[in-house]
Amino acid sequence: MKKIVVLTGAGISAESGLRTFRDSDGLWEGYDVQEVATPQAWQRNPQLVQDFYNMRRKDAMNAKPNAAHYALAALEEQYEVTIITQNIDDLHERAGSTNVMHLHGVITRAQSSLNAALTYPMEGWEIKMGEVCELGSQLRAHVVWFGEDVPMIEPSARICQQADIFILVGSSLAVYPAAGLINYVPNQVPKYIVDPNIPDINRLNSMIKIEEKATVGVPELVKRLMGS
Ligand code: NAD
C-alpha cells in the first residue's frame, strides 16, 4: 500500500465549530496565547490556564467530526495513512482514523505538571486544582505550550520522509517546529494543500493547491486519490 501522510492544523476543525488561531488576529478564543499557552502563564496564574483548557476540552467534546475528518478516515481503505495533527481536539480519532500522531498533545488527556511523559485518560471535561499526578504534582492539560519541547517532532519527521503522497490541510504554517515538517517530504512526492486562504509562503509553490474549505476540498481530493 502507498503511504499517505496528512499534516492538519486548526483549519480542519473550523467547520466543526472550533475556532482557528490566526483567523482571529492571533488570539485564541479571545485570549493572548502568552496569557494561557506558555509555562510562564502557568507559573503566574495556573487557575486561568486550567480554566482556559477546561473550556477548550468542553468545546472539543461537544464538537463533532466533519466531512473532512471522515474523508481522511476513508482513505485507509486504499492507503496506509498517517495523520500528523497540530490540533489538540480528538476529531480525527472520532471520525475513525486509526493512526493519528498529536504533535501538540490531546486535550482529552491530563498531564503531570512535573513530568510531561506522565499522561492520563480523563472521564469528564474538567481538571480541578488539587487533582494530582502519581508524583503528587498538579494535573494540567496534555498540550504542548509555546516554549516547551515537542517530543513527537522526530518520529513525525521520519514519517514525512517515507511519504508517497503528502497532504496539508488548514494550517498557517506559522508555528514551529511543526511548520518545518514539510521540508522532510522528498521533492518528487506529490504534495497537496487544502485551505480557503492559502498562506503566502515560497515553500508552498511546488504544491498542488486546492483553495477550498476543508469540508469541500478534502472529500474532493480523497475521491480523486481513491480513483472514483
Ligand atoms: P492557524 O490558526 O494558525 O491557521 C489556520 C489555517 O486554517 C489558516 O491557514 C486558515 O486559512 C485555514 N482555515 C480556516 N478555515 C478553514 C477551513 N474551513 N478549512 C480549511 N482551512 C481553513 O492554525 P495552525 O497552523 O494549526 O496553528 C495554530 C496552533 O494553535 C496549533 O499549534 C494548534 O495546536 C493550536 N490550535 C488548535 C485548535 C484545535 O485543536 N482545534 C484550534 C485552535 C488552535
Side-chain angles (χ1 to χ4, degrees):
M1 269 191 183
K2 280 193 170 176
K3 293 189 173 74
I4 296 194
V5 177
V6 190
L7 176 61
T8 65
I12 197 168
S13 296
E15 291 163 88
S16 292
L18 301 176
R19 274 199 263 168
T20 65
F21 176 40
R22 307 286 152 185
D23 290 318
S24 22
D25 296 331
L27 295 181
W28 193 356
E29 299 286 347
Y31 287 85
D32 179 340
V33 292
Q34 297 300 327
E35 276 174 49
V36 290
T38 61
Q40 293 76 14
W42 177 251
Q43 293 292 325
R44 267 195 312 267
N45 195 343
Q47 183 74 62
L48 173 78
V49 174
Q50 196 75 282
D51 289 347
F52 174 78
Y53 284 103
N54 282 339
M55 287 317 297
R56 302 289 71 75
R57 189 176 301 104
K58 203 175 195 181
D59 290 348
M61 287 169 88
N62 287 330
K64 293 190 177 66
N66 64 46
H69 298 104
Y70 285 115
L72 292 178
L75 263 185
E76 292 186 18
E77 290 164 23
Q78 290 185 24
Y79 294 92
E80 194 181 316
V81 182
T82 307
I83 296 184
I84 304 172
T85 187
Q86 297 169 75
N87 295 343
I88 58 174
D89 65 60
D90 61 347
L91 296 179
H92 285 300
E93 288 92 338
R94 280 160 55 200
S97 284
T98 59
N99 192 11
V100 184
M101 300 172 76
H102 281 272
L103 274 177
H104 297 156
V106 63
I107 190 78
T108 50
R109 293 182 78 83
Q111 177 183 311
S112 160
S113 54
L114 209 56
N115 178 352
L118 296 176
T119 71
Y120 308 91
M122 288 184 60
E123 303 263 307
W125 62 275
E126 192 179 20
I127 302 177
K128 295 199 177 75
M129 299 311 281
E131 284 184 89
V132 294
C133 73
E134 66 211 67
L135 303 175
S137 76
Q138 175 63 48
L139 285 175
R140 52 168 269 192
H142 174 43
V143 297
V144 174
W145 288 328
F146 290 94
E148 289 190 317
D149 287 343
V150 183
M152 293 304 280
I153 199 73
E154 283 182 19
S156 300
R158 280 196 293 277
I159 299 277
C160 287
Q161 285 170 331
Q162 290 158 17
D164 296 308
I165 297 172
F166 179 80
I167 305 172
L168 173 67
V169 188
S171 173
S172 64
L173 292 185
V175 176
Y176 278 82
L181 282 175
I182 62 171
N183 302 330
Y184 289 88
V185 182
N187 282 339
Q188 75 283 4
V189 166
K191 302 177 192 74
Y192 299 87
I193 173 167
V194 181
D195 195 308
N197 190 8
I198 293 180
D200 188 12
I201 304 178
N202 282 345
R203 289 184 295 150
L204 303 183
N205 286 347
S206 63
M207 295 183 85
I208 302 159
K209 299 186 178 68
I210 301 172
E211 208 146 9
E212 300 273 9
K213 287 186 170 184
T215 59
V216 175
V218 175
E220 262 176 32
L221 175 58
V222 166
K223 245 189 195 170
R224 225 197 283 177
L225 294 171
M226 306 261 278
S228 61

